[in-house]
Amino acid sequence: MRTDGRQYDETRAVTITPHYIKHAEGSVLIEVGDTKVICTASIEERVPPFMKGQGRGWITAEYSMLPRATQVRNQREAAKGKIGGRTMEIQRLIGRALRSVVNLEALGERTITLDCDVIQADGGTRTTSITGAFVALCMAVNKLIQGGKLSKSPITDYLASVSVGVVKNQVCLDLNYEEDSQAKVDMNVVMTGLGKFVEVQGTGEESPFTREELNDLLAAAEIGIQAMIGKQKDTLGPLTAVVGAGANAANAKK
Amino acid sequence: MRTDGRQYDETRAVTITPHYIKHAEGSVLIEVGDTKVICTASIEERVPPFMKGQGRGWITAEYSMLPRATQVRNQREAAKGKIGGRTMEIQRLIGRALRSVVNLEALGERTITLDCDVIQADGGTRTTSITGAFVALCMAVNKLIQGGKLSKSPITDYLASVSVGVVKNQVCLDLNYEEDSQAKVDMNVVMTGLGKFVEVQGTGEESPFTREELNDLLAAAEIGIQAMIGKQKDTLGPLTAVVGAGANAANAKK
Amino acid sequence: MRTDGRQYDETRAVTITPHYIKHAEGSVLIEVGDTKVICTASIEERVPPFMKGQGRGWITAEYSMLPRATQVRNQREAAKGKIGGRTMEIQRLIGRALRSVVNLEALGERTITLDCDVIQADGGTRTTSITGAFVALCMAVNKLIQGGKLSKSPITDYLASVSVGVVKNQVCLDLNYEEDSQAKVDMNVVMTGLGKFVEVQGTGEESPFTREELNDLLAAAEIGIQAMIGKQKDTLGPLTAVVGAGANAANAKK
Amino acid sequence: MRTDGRQYDETRAVTITPHYIKHAEGSVLIEVGDTKVICTASIEERVPPFMKGQGRGWITAEYSMLPRATQVRNQREAAKGKIGGRTMEIQRLIGRALRSVVNLEALGERTITLDCDVIQADGGTRTTSITGAFVALCMAVNKLIQGGKLSKSPITDYLASVSVGVVKNQVCLDLNYEEDSQAKVDMNVVMTGLGKFVEVQGTGEESPFTREELNDLLAAAEIGIQAMIGKQKDTLGPLTAVVGAGANAANAKK
Amino acid sequence: MRTDGRQYDETRAVTITPHYIKHAEGSVLIEVGDTKVICTASIEERVPPFMKGQGRGWITAEYSMLPRATQVRNQREAAKGKIGGRTMEIQRLIGRALRSVVNLEALGERTITLDCDVIQADGGTRTTSITGAFVALCMAVNKLIQGGKLSKSPITDYLASVSVGVVKNQVCLDLNYEEDSQAKVDMNVVMTGLGKFVEVQGTGEESPFTREELNDLLAAAEIGIQAMIGKQKDTLGPLTAVVGAGANAANAKK
Amino acid sequence: MRTDGRQYDETRAVTITPHYIKHAEGSVLIEVGDTKVICTASIEERVPPFMKGQGRGWITAEYSMLPRATQVRNQREAAKGKIGGRTMEIQRLIGRALRSVVNLEALGERTITLDCDVIQADGGTRTTSITGAFVALCMAVNKLIQGGKLSKSPITDYLASVSVGVVKNQVCLDLNYEEDSQAKVDMNVVMTGLGKFVEVQGTGEESPFTREELNDLLAAAEIGIQAMIGKQKDTLGPLTAVVGAGANAANAKK
């Protein structure tokens, strides 16, 4: 058993509160255990300079933590005058993951920016950000459809993410901060509703891992991701913005 | 009557939720109308280099807005690589205001940093930050007392802040964003429980103002600040960290 | 009596040397006691991007101190790679104050930048900068009129500034550096020729202040500001660029 | 067959030139096809501040490309004033990978910095950097042993890296730039001499991938990595700095 | 004849006003024609980290122009967030030149910083800065001697600088801005009182120059530099801080 | 005799390897003794904003050292977030020198950027960069001619550079790092094939120098520069891009 009483393949409690920030086109407060992230989706009717005139849209993400989201206060990146490597890595990951389930041509020449701001951190902030940002993105797309700017959704499948790891020689799902600090192997996985991989990022800095461990980690991740997608569907309700094969398959599984 | 139905000398609804962030020594979510700010107090057992060895403590503040706290998304200051003038002005104001009611010698050689992060903005974010940060500061001081690190509180009086302004030739208390955009005169006032001024910052860029208008603005501010202090007392309860003349007078008024 | 022999409501000696820098459209060296500031006004026939096409002009200001303007050498902000909070606060104040007496529509789509460079500092550098910059601004406007680019002046009133404070329990006008270091309350006031307030910025970080003290401080400030405006008139002479109610009233007072 | 005539599971030609930079404690020019990277190892007899006094050493890496390493000239990061997200991600990856095969306690309180400078890029620059940096690291460790500063090597296994991907629905090993631009799935794998995974970073931004594809990609990567380790052994010769289980197993395979 | 009526080998009028800034240990306003520079010398009783414990002092310089020192307003380097290449080149030159006539061992472990701030520019700002900074440096050294911190001066010779150039095929001494813009060859020369070269920086970007032209330029520079040194002696008076061979020779020439 | 056995007026061995980087329009690896620099020329069909529409081209240069090009590892300028003074000085020098032998009107509205990256440093990196960059520039110009974008070359003469200095009271040509560290006088000279001076930068920070020493230094530099130009001709072969008086004279000398 784990220190917080969970089974090895059990996620923490997940709560997704939609419409959390009134100004944003889409927004949620997502809580996975004690990790809390505000995710907002902001629509702009233009694309970055390098994409102009191609008839395609863009999805991008930014990630940050409040200084006291963590046990020890962190200096703000604005105060340091630059964004750190960890933050860059995470925001590149979030953007890339979300783009994998969006048909950018169908989105049209507009940008949706997903801001993921961690207000309390207890492990899994990047995976929680992806899971929450997907819901905010769907809400923003619904707004475009309701406003007549899009006739159908460019989102092709559900998308969620969890962390898995090897803690005390045991494969565990959805690590909290305490477990994460002790993990010998740490892996973040992003999958679609159809069960395909979008990102697999495993690292064994403390201890290289075998092919068997990799297999077990991926199996645990799949369980967690499907649970996350269930919560996303509950939040989005019947007015979901997900279409195509992914949505069909997901609906069939319901 | 005002657009949101308030009297001219009426504040918006105020809610202060304590213990909002589990890691911080003090924290609140303060809501004044639709303006929402997370205020955390973080204690460090050291002072900035320029204060070392003087036997005095330090209180400092940082302020930021989430990118989508506002109607139109703002670029992050971390992404710009520097903190803007408005942010600097506000965080200097918050720190200065809080220091005015703290006996830094009695605090001892430690620093308390107040982080004020606006998650939703609808006017008055700097004044709301001051009012909320004061509560977080008291909570952190209580923790120092409970932990035996301080025998009595170094906080000498209550402290709160409101904005006032001249909107359509009418002196108004606690402006929301819509009113703030139309105001010809804009003033932020910080006062203590004893009714003394800590900061008076009035600006008539759109239209210089007379001594009479100034008097009316200050009178409205005093009403609002005493209301804010009432909410602070409700939140802090009997275990308040405020001592000395300010606390005594405030208690007498109860 | 004060350490330099002045009355409590007496300013230091004021000298304004016009045409101090040959390249600038307007320029002065202003000396208030030992505080010396070079103020230049530079005209550009364009406005910042956010104002384009609105038919309005813009007035902005920058402020800096030479490294050895102060008793101890300060590091240059260019060497630090960023502008500090104090500098930002001051240059925002100067720009805002000057704009309050300029009809931006009447100025037309052009920008006047006021550069205030403190070459020697002895208290009151921001208020001295405002008083000097107003004269440089008038000189630049006169140049526009003489060059046929403007038919009449967009400046609606005189504008000057002084600091006041409570030093050793005594309200004092125009603090020098030594007094400023000892002041419990510190206030900068900007007023127009008609006697209206443009900015009131009072701070009692060391000791909150009462309404009575505030009243006395404002009264002292008014005396000082009218003295400063007298010096401005002497410098500008009959060819003043100030028009409208402010100028009329000021002339009537002569 | 591939555009350059290779088999799907064939790497490009690999050349490792040791002692390429005379000042460095370890250095190579590694060429994998037309990708050319100078890797140097620099020893400093101190550790970063956050590690002081723990009796452990540190391995870190930096990565850069010459401006004209690429088809179109890239602006220097020094000229931009900041390091981009891609560079940060890569240098964090290289450092993490190398640390996984070094016993930091056995290294002692010293830092070895691996600089990987790409002088010509044709795909796989990050994996080539890891493979080359490992050799430079071994050379530097040998120097420490020869100089009497270490009695035995802290390196516990061989380490190399390759990229794999799905190009035109075919799993390919060691993608060149042209293939990389067309790949639907892109994966970088780092493995040890014993065949354990250190990093698995797969991304299907263009097209999510199945578990079967993942398995095939990992199998191809293993072939490539063992080929790279063979080249490393040829370069290092009998005086290899690799010890322990990894070295033993590797030697047994010879 | 030149546009301002000077002979080809004639400098502009030179004025050096000592004690220009009251806080600095040494200061002058130097005017060479319409070029005006404030030079201050600031003493700190410490050396930069890289020189600690060597028993030697350090001389360094910084250079800047007020934004409106020039015909067209320049953006401040503090606003740009970095110091430009031209500024760096100039401040390195000033520091290097001054160090050539100071015995750093004799100075002791202290730093003298020369700040050269151009308040009005009309050609030759770097050479004027060197000539003025030398006087400020001597004043600061005199203060150290008077304060008993040094028993004798570490300055070994006089030092001054002028620009020379080829304008309309004519070698000219001390170019003003108009001449400088037309010069095909531009050279800055720094010499000692003894007539030795400290810096020779000639550039013929517009038109490479011959050995004969170089000889003529150096001859003109020598005339100008001796004139500048004459002005320095007049300013410093009998209490000069220059000692040793340079001073002796210079005195002999008087 | 010198420590490496050379005569006082003898350069080190020079090797120029053309076509070193496949993507660049021109590129060489130039080795002068143990100093090794990669020089690439990149053509862009546009000019910087300040030159647009003038019908003239632009030549610019950037310079950098790999961190371990030197005996002790240097921090990267990208990591520091800014380019240092020495680097700026050098890249300004390289650009200026090359422009002196290019007819910018004849080049047309395009930019050629010369990147000089020092991979191993042993004295004379800036002069070696100039000599190598000239060859890369010629190669790029030949490409423009071969591609029909230019009908004839805009390069008007050969150009090369060497360092000279006074070491142990002896004028020496082409100093290596050890000599450079001991030099009392240090001079970099850039000359054309016709023997005219483009840059003369001599500095005697350690010891001012006489007119006689200056003459001897220039004579040694001329010998070295003609040797460098000989190597450039050997590399460029008959298809040289140099035209006009410079080329003619140079050919005549052959």
Side-chain angles (χ1 to χ4, degrees):
Chain A
M1 280 257 298
R2 294 158 80 175
T3 54
D4 58 3
R6 276 188 289 151
Q7 301 298 319
Y8 291 117
D9 63 352
E10 189 183 346
T11 69
R12 292 173 288 177
V14 179
T15 310
I16 305 178
T17 308
H19 307 297
Y20 192 70
I21 299 298
K22 75 170 185 177
H23 301 303
E25 283 75 38
S27 70
V28 301
L29 172 69
I30 180 167
E31 299 168 79
V32 175
D34 279 345
T35 291
K36 303 183 186 188
V37 186
I38 296 175
C39 303
T40 59
S42 298
I43 303 170
E44 284 172 298
E45 294 293 325
R46 62 173 181 209
V47 288
F50 69 92
M51 293 190 67
K52 262 186 198 157
Q54 301 177 16
R56 299 166 65 224
W58 188 240
I59 305 287
T60 187
E62 296 194 5
Y63 167 96
S64 187
M65 284 214 254
L66 295 201
R68 200 54 199 281
T70 47
Q71 285 187 297
V72 171
R73 185 178 182 275
N74 282 296
Q75 201 191 348
R76 289 173 195 269
E77 293 184 322
K80 289 185 204 167
K82 61 179 176 183
I83 298 177
R86 179 182 171 276
T87 296
M88 287 215 191
E89 211 169 287
I90 294 175
Q91 58 196 22
R92 282 160 58 91
L93 167 66
I94 301 172
R96 212 162 56 217
L98 292 171
R99 284 192 297 273
S100 75
V101 290
V102 177
N103 179 333
L104 297 176
E105 281 76 16
L107 177 59
E109 281 209 24
R110 53 176 62 90
T111 299
I112 303 182
T113 301
L114 283 307
D115 284 292
C116 301
D117 285 88
V118 179
I119 63 175
Q120 191 171 276
D122 189 29
T125 63
R126 79 184 72 185
T127 54
T128 301
S129 293
I130 291 170
T131 303
F134 178 78
V135 179
L137 173 64
C138 289
M139 291 168 69
V141 163
N142 275 334
K143 197 155 235 176
L144 285 170
I145 293 170
Q146 286 160 7
K149 295 196 172 165
L150 282 181
S151 56
K152 65 170 201 164
S153 172
I155 302 177
T156 59
D157 200 349
Y158 284 89
L159 183 94
S161 178
V162 288
S163 77
V164 286
V166 179
V167 184
K168 297 182 185 160
N169 292 317
Q170 190 67 42
V171 167
C172 293
L173 171 61
D174 186 24
L175 310 188
N176 62 26
Y177 178 74
E178 190 190 343
E179 291 171 332
D180 192 52
S181 323
Q182 300 166 0
K184 290 285 177 188
V185 180
D186 178 28
M187 182 172 283
N188 295 298
V189 181
V190 185
M191 293 179 82
T192 64
L194 281 177
K196 288 194 167 180
F197 294 102
V198 168
E199 290 277 342
V200 175
Q201 295 202 340
T203 183
E205 180 178 341
E206 294 302 314
S207 161
F209 51 97
T210 63
R211 185 64 177 272
E212 290 68 40
E213 285 172 313
L214 176 55
N215 287 341
D216 292 349
L217 288 162
L218 293 173
E222 186 161 9
I223 293 169
I225 285 170
Q226 292 307 325
M228 294 291 165
I229 290 178
K231 287 287 178 182
Q232 291 175 333
K233 286 179 187 166
D234 294 347
T235 307
L236 287 166
L239 193 69
T240 176
V242 185
V243 299
N248 296 341
N251 290 333
K253 282 190 202 168
K254 264 194 166 172
Chain B
M1 280 258 297
R2 294 157 81 175
T3 54
D4 58 3
R6 275 187 291 153
Q7 301 298 318
Y8 292 118
D9 63 352
E10 190 185 346
T11 69
R12 291 174 287 176
V14 179
T15 311
I16 305 178
T17 308
H19 306 296
Y20 192 69
I21 299 299
K22 75 171 184 176
H23 301 303
E25 283 75 37
S27 70
V28 301
L29 171 68
I30 180 167
E31 299 168 81
V32 175
D34 279 344
T35 291
K36 302 181 186 191
V37 186
I38 297 175
C39 303
T40 59
S42 298
I43 303 171
E44 284 173 298
E45 293 293 325
R46 62 173 180 209
V47 287
F50 70 91
M51 291 191 66
K52 261 185 200 158
Q54 301 176 17
R56 301 167 64 223
W58 188 240
I59 305 288
T60 187
E62 296 193 4
Y63 167 97
S64 187
M65 285 215 253
L66 295 202
R68 200 53 199 280
T70 46
Q71 286 188 296
V72 172
R73 185 179 182 275
N74 282 296
Q75 201 191 349
R76 287 173 196 270
E77 293 185 323
K80 289 184 205 166
K82 61 180 176 183
I83 298 178
R86 180 183 170 276
T87 296
M88 287 216 192
E89 212 169 288
I90 293 175
Q91 59 196 23
R92 283 160 57 91
L93 167 66
I94 301 171
R96 212 161 56 216
L98 292 171
R99 284 193 296 275
S100 77
V101 290
V102 177
N103 180 332
L104 297 176
E105 281 77 16
L107 177 58
E109 281 210 24
R110 53 176 61 89
T111 299
I112 303 182
T113 301
L114 283 308
D115 284 292
C116 301
D117 285 87
V118 180
I119 63 175
Q120 191 171 277
D122 189 29
T125 63
R126 79 185 71 187
T127 54
T128 300
S129 293
I130 291 170
T131 303
F134 178 79
V135 179
L137 173 64
C138 288
M139 291 168 70
V141 162
N142 275 333
K143 198 155 236 174
L144 286 170
I145 294 170
Q146 284 159 7
K149 295 196 172 166
L150 281 181
S151 56
K152 64 170 202 166
S153 171
I155 301 177
T156 59
D157 202 348
Y158 285 89
L159 183 94
S161 178
V162 287
S163 77
V164 286
V166 179
V167 183
K168 298 181 187 163
N169 291 317
Q170 190 69 39
V171 167
C172 292
L173 171 60
D174 186 25
L175 311 187
N176 62 25
Y177 178 74
E178 190 190 342
E179 291 171 332
D180 193 51
S181 324
Q182 301 166 1
K184 290 286 177 186
V185 180
D186 178 28
M187 182 172 283
N188 295 297
V189 182
V190 185
M191 292 180 83
T192 64
L194 280 176
K196 287 193 168 180
F197 294 102
V198 167
E199 290 277 341
V200 174
Q201 295 201 341
T203 182
E205 180 179 341
E206 295 301 314
S207 161
F209 52 96
T210 63
R211 185 66 177 270
E212 290 66 40
E213 285 172 312
L214 175 55
N215 287 341
D216 292 349
L217 288 162
L218 293 173
E222 185 160 9
I223 293 168
I225 286 169
Q226 292 307 325
M228 294 291 165
I229 290 178
K231 287 288 178 180
Q232 291 177 332
K233 286 179 188 169
D234 293 348
T235 308
L236 287 166
L239 193 68
T240 177
V242 185
V243 299
N248 295 341
N251 290 333
K253 283 190 199 168
K254 263 192 166 171
Chain C
M1 280 258 296
R2 296 159 78 176
T3 54
D4 57 4
R6 276 187 289 153
Q7 301 298 318
Y8 293 118
D9 62 352
E10 189 183 347
T11 69
R12 291 173 287 178
V14 179
T15 311
I16 305 177
T17 309
H19 307 297
Y20 193 70
I21 299 297
K22 75 170 183 175
H23 302 302
E25 282 77 36
S27 70
V28 301
L29 171 68
I30 180 168
E31 299 169 79
V32 175
D34 278 344
T35 291
K36 302 182 186 188
V37 186
I38 297 174
C39 304
T40 60
S42 298
I43 302 170
E44 285 172 297
E45 294 293 325
R46 64 175 179 206
V47 288
F50 70 92
M51 291 190 67
K52 261 188 199 155
Q54 301 176 18
R56 300 166 63 224
W58 188 240
I59 304 288
T60 187
E62 296 194 4
Y63 167 95
S64 187
M65 284 214 254
L66 295 202
R68 201 53 200 280
T70 47
Q71 285 188 297
V72 172
R73 185 180 182 274
N74 283 296
Q75 201 191 349
R76 287 172 196 269
E77 293 184 322
K80 291 185 203 166
K82 61 180 177 184
I83 298 176
R86 180 183 170 277
T87 297
M88 287 216 192
E89 212 169 288
I90 294 175
Q91 58 196 23
R92 282 161 58 92
L93 168 66
I94 301 171
R96 211 161 57 219
L98 292 171
R99 284 192 297 274
S100 75
V101 291
V102 177
N103 180 333
L104 297 176
E105 281 77 16
L107 177 58
E109 282 208 23
R110 53 176 61 91
T111 298
I112 303 181
T113 300
L114 283 308
D115 285 293
C116 302
D117 286 88
V118 180
I119 63 175
Q120 190 171 278
D122 189 29
T125 62
R126 78 185 72 186
T127 53
T128 302
S129 293
I130 291 170
T131 303
F134 178 79
V135 180
L137 172 63
C138 289
M139 291 168 69
V141 163
N142 275 334
K143 198 155 235 175
L144 286 170
I145 294 170
Q146 285 158 7
K149 295 196 173 167
L150 282 180
S151 57
K152 65 171 200 166
S153 171
I155 300 176
T156 59
D157 201 350
Y158 285 89
L159 183 94
S161 178
V162 287
S163 76
V164 286
V166 179
V167 183
K168 297 182 186 161
N169 292 316
Q170 190 68 39
V171 167
C172 292
L173 170 61
D174 186 26
L175 311 188
N176 63 25
Y177 178 73
E178 189 190 344
E179 291 170 332
D180 193 51
S181 324
Q182 301 166 1
K184 291 286 176 186
V185 180
D186 178 30
M187 182 172 282
N188 295 298
V189 182
V190 185
M191 292 179 82
T192 64
L194 280 176
K196 288 193 168 182
F197 294 102
V198 167
E199 291 276 341
V200 175
Q201 296 201 339
T203 184
E205 180 178 341
E206 295 302 313
S207 160
F209 52 97
T210 63
R211 185 64 177 271
E212 291 65 39
E213 286 172 312
L214 175 55
N215 288 340
D216 292 350
L217 287 162
L218 293 173
E222 186 160 8
I223 293 168
I225 286 169
Q226 291 309 326
M228 295 290 165
I229 290 178
K231 287 287 178 181
Q232 291 176 331
K233 287 178 190 169
D234 293 348
T235 307
L236 287 165
L239 194 68
T240 177
V242 185
V243 299
N248 296 341
N251 290 333
K253 282 190 202 168
K254 264 193 167 172
Chain D
M1 279 258 298
R2 296 158 78 175
T3 54
D4 58 1
R6 277 187 288 152
Q7 302 297 319
Y8 292 118
D9 62 352
E10 189 184 347
T11 68
R12 292 174 286 178
V14 179
T15 311
I16 305 178
T17 308
H19 307 296
Y20 192 70
I21 299 297
K22 74 170 184 175
H23 301 302
E25 282 76 37
S27 70
V28 303
L29 171 69
I30 180 167
E31 299 169 79
V32 175
D34 279 344
T35 291
K36 303 183 186 188
V37 186
I38 297 175
C39 304
T40 59
S42 298
I43 302 170
E44 285 173 298
E45 294 292 327
R46 63 174 180 205
V47 287
F50 69 92
M51 291 190 68
K52 261 187 199 156
Q54 301 176 18
R56 301 167 63 225
W58 188 239
I59 304 288
T60 187
E62 296 193 4
Y63 168 96
S64 186
M65 285 214 254
L66 295 202
R68 201 54 200 280
T70 47
Q71 285 188 298
V72 172
R73 184 179 183 275
N74 282 296
Q75 201 191 350
R76 288 172 196 270
E77 293 184 322
K80 291 184 202 167
K82 60 180 177 184
I83 298 176
R86 180 183 171 276
T87 297
M88 287 216 192
E89 212 169 287
I90 294 175
Q91 58 196 23
R92 283 160 59 91
L93 167 66
I94 302 171
R96 213 160 55 218
L98 292 171
R99 285 193 296 274
S100 75
V101 291
V102 177
N103 180 332
L104 297 177
E105 281 77 15
L107 177 58
E109 282 209 25
R110 52 176 62 89
T111 299
I112 302 182
T113 301
L114 282 308
D115 285 292
C116 302
D117 286 88
V118 179
I119 63 175
Q120 192 171 277
D122 189 29
T125 62
R126 79 185 72 187
T127 53
T128 302
S129 294
I130 290 170
T131 303
F134 178 79
V135 179
L137 173 63
C138 289
M139 292 168 70
V141 162
N142 276 334
K143 197 155 236 176
L144 286 170
I145 293 169
Q146 286 160 6
K149 295 198 172 165
L150 281 180
S151 57
K152 64 171 203 166
S153 172
I155 301 177
T156 59
D157 201 350
Y158 284 89
L159 184 94
S161 178
V162 288
S163 76
V164 287
V166 178
V167 183
K168 297 183 186 160
N169 291 317
Q170 190 68 41
V171 167
C172 293
L173 171 61
D174 186 26
L175 311 187
N176 63 24
Y177 178 74
E178 189 190 344
E179 291 171 331
D180 193 51
S181 323
Q182 301 166 1
K184 290 285 178 190
V185 180
D186 178 28
M187 183 172 283
N188 295 298
V189 182
V190 186
M191 292 180 83
T192 63
L194 281 177
K196 289 194 167 179
F197 294 102
V198 167
E199 291 277 341
V200 175
Q201 296 201 339
T203 184
E205 180 179 340
E206 294 301 314
S207 160
F209 52 97
T210 63
R211 185 65 177 271
E212 290 66 40
E213 286 173 312
L214 175 55
N215 287 342
D216 292 350
L217 287 161
L218 294 173
E222 187 161 7
I223 293 168
I225 286 169
Q226 292 307 326
M228 295 290 166
I229 290 178
K231 287 287 179 183
Q232 291 175 333
K233 286 179 188 167
D234 293 348
T235 308
L236 287 166
L239 193 68
T240 176
V242 185
V243 300
N248 296 341
N251 290 333
K253 283 190 202 169
K254 265 196 167 171
Chain E
M1 280 256 298
R2 296 159 78 176
T3 54
D4 58 3
R6 276 187 288 152
Q7 301 298 319
Y8 293 118
D9 63 352
E10 189 183 348
T11 68
R12 291 173 288 176
V14 178
T15 312
I16 304 178
T17 309
H19 306 296
Y20 193 69
I21 299 297
K22 75 170 184 175
H23 301 304
E25 282 76 36
S27 69
V28 301
L29 171 68
I30 180 167
E31 299 168 79
V32 174
D34 279 343
T35 290
K36 302 182 186 189
V37 186
I38 297 174
C39 304
T40 59
S42 299
I43 303 170
E44 284 172 298
E45 292 294 324
R46 63 175 181 207
V47 287
F50 70 92
M51 291 190 68
K52 261 188 199 157
Q54 300 177 18
R56 300 167 64 224
W58 188 239
I59 305 287
T60 187
E62 297 193 3
Y63 167 96
S64 186
M65 283 214 254
L66 295 201
R68 201 52 199 280
T70 46
Q71 285 188 297
V72 172
R73 185 179 182 274
N74 283 296
Q75 201 191 349
R76 287 172 196 269
E77 294 185 322
K80 290 185 202 166
K82 60 181 177 184
I83 298 176
R86 180 184 171 275
T87 297
M88 287 216 191
E89 212 169 286
I90 293 174
Q91 57 196 22
R92 283 160 57 92
L93 167 66
I94 301 171
R96 212 161 56 218
L98 292 171
R99 284 193 297 275
S100 76
V101 289
V102 178
N103 180 334
L104 297 176
E105 282 76 16
L107 177 58
E109 281 210 23
R110 52 175 62 91
T111 299
I112 302 182
T113 301
L114 283 308
D115 284 293
C116 301
D117 286 88
V118 179
I119 63 175
Q120 191 171 278
D122 189 30
T125 63
R126 78 186 71 186
T127 52
T128 301
S129 293
I130 291 169
T131 303
F134 178 78
V135 179
L137 172 63
C138 288
M139 292 168 70
V141 162
N142 275 334
K143 197 156 237 175
L144 286 170
I145 293 169
Q146 286 159 6
K149 294 195 173 168
L150 282 180
S151 58
K152 66 170 200 167
S153 172
I155 301 177
T156 59
D157 201 349
Y158 285 89
L159 183 94
S161 179
V162 288
S163 76
V164 286
V166 178
V167 183
K168 298 182 185 160
N169 291 318
Q170 191 67 42
V171 167
C172 292
L173 170 61
D174 185 25
L175 311 188
N176 63 26
Y177 178 74
E178 191 190 342
E179 292 171 332
D180 192 51
S181 324
Q182 301 166 1
K184 291 285 176 187
V185 180
D186 179 27
M187 182 172 284
N188 295 298
V189 181
V190 186
M191 291 180 83
T192 64
L194 280 177
K196 289 193 166 181
F197 294 101
V198 168
E199 291 276 342
V200 175
Q201 297 201 338
T203 183
E205 179 179 342
E206 295 301 314
S207 159
F209 52 97
T210 62
R211 185 67 177 271
E212 290 65 40
E213 286 172 312
L214 176 55
N215 287 340
D216 292 349
L217 287 162
L218 293 173
E222 186 160 8
I223 292 168
I225 285 168
Q226 292 307 326
M228 294 290 165
I229 290 177
K231 287 287 179 181
Q232 291 176 332
K233 287 180 188 166
D234 292 348
T235 307
L236 287 166
L239 193 69
T240 177
V242 185
V243 299
N248 296 341
N251 290 332
K253 283 190 201 170
K254 265 193 167 172
Chain F
M1 279 257 297
R2 296 159 79 175
T3 55
D4 58 2
R6 276 187 288 153
Q7 300 297 318
Y8 293 118
D9 62 352
E10 190 184 347
T11 68
R12 292 173 288 176
V14 179
T15 312
I16 305 178
T17 309
H19 306 297
Y20 192 70
I21 299 297
K22 75 170 184 176
H23 301 303
E25 283 75 37
S27 70
V28 301
L29 171 69
I30 179 167
E31 299 168 80
V32 174
D34 278 344
T35 290
K36 303 183 185 188
V37 186
I38 297 175
C39 304
T40 59
S42 299
I43 302 170
E44 284 173 298
E45 293 293 325
R46 64 174 180 208
V47 286
F50 69 91
M51 291 190 66
K52 261 186 198 156
Q54 300 176 17
R56 300 167 64 223
W58 189 240
I59 305 287
T60 186
E62 296 194 4
Y63 168 95
S64 187
M65 284 213 254
L66 295 202
R68 201 54 199 280
T70 46
Q71 285 187 296
V72 172
R73 183 178 184 275
N74 282 298
Q75 201 192 348
R76 287 173 196 270
E77 293 185 322
K80 289 185 204 167
K82 60 179 177 185
I83 298 176
R86 181 184 169 275
T87 297
M88 287 215 190
E89 212 168 287
I90 293 174
Q91 58 196 21
R92 283 161 57 91
L93 167 66
I94 301 171
R96 212 162 56 217
L98 291 171
R99 284 193 296 274
S100 75
V101 290
V102 177
N103 179 334
L104 296 176
E105 282 76 17
L107 177 58
E109 281 209 25
R110 52 176 63 90
T111 299
I112 302 182
T113 301
L114 284 308
D115 284 292
C116 302
D117 286 87
V118 179
I119 64 175
Q120 191 171 278
D122 189 29
T125 63
R126 80 186 69 186
T127 53
T128 301
S129 294
I130 291 169
T131 303
F134 177 79
V135 180
L137 173 63
C138 289
M139 292 169 68
V141 162
N142 275 333
K143 197 156 236 176
L144 286 170
I145 293 170
Q146 285 159 6
K149 295 196 172 167
L150 281 182
S151 57
K152 65 169 201 167
S153 171
I155 301 176
T156 58
D157 200 350
Y158 285 90
L159 183 94
S161 178
V162 288
S163 76
V164 286
V166 179
V167 183
K168 296 180 188 162
N169 292 317
Q170 191 68 41
V171 167
C172 293
L173 171 60
D174 185 26
L175 311 188
N176 63 25
Y177 178 74
E178 190 190 343
E179 291 171 331
D180 193 51
S181 323
Q182 300 166 3
K184 291 286 177 186
V185 180
D186 178 28
M187 181 172 284
N188 295 298
V189 182
V190 185
M191 291 180 83
T192 64
L194 280 176
K196 288 194 168 181
F197 294 101
V198 167
E199 291 277 341
V200 174
Q201 296 200 340
T203 183
E205 180 179 341
E206 295 302 314
S207 160
F209 52 97
T210 63
R211 186 65 178 270
E212 291 66 39
E213 286 172 312
L214 176 54
N215 288 340
D216 292 349
L217 288 161
L218 294 172
E222 186 161 8
I223 293 168
I225 285 168
Q226 292 307 326
M228 295 290 165
I229 290 177
K231 288 287 178 180
Q232 291 176 332
K233 287 179 188 167
D234 293 347
T235 308
L236 287 165
L239 193 69
T240 177
V242 185
V243 300
N248 296 340
N251 290 333
K253 283 190 203 170
K254 264 192 169 174

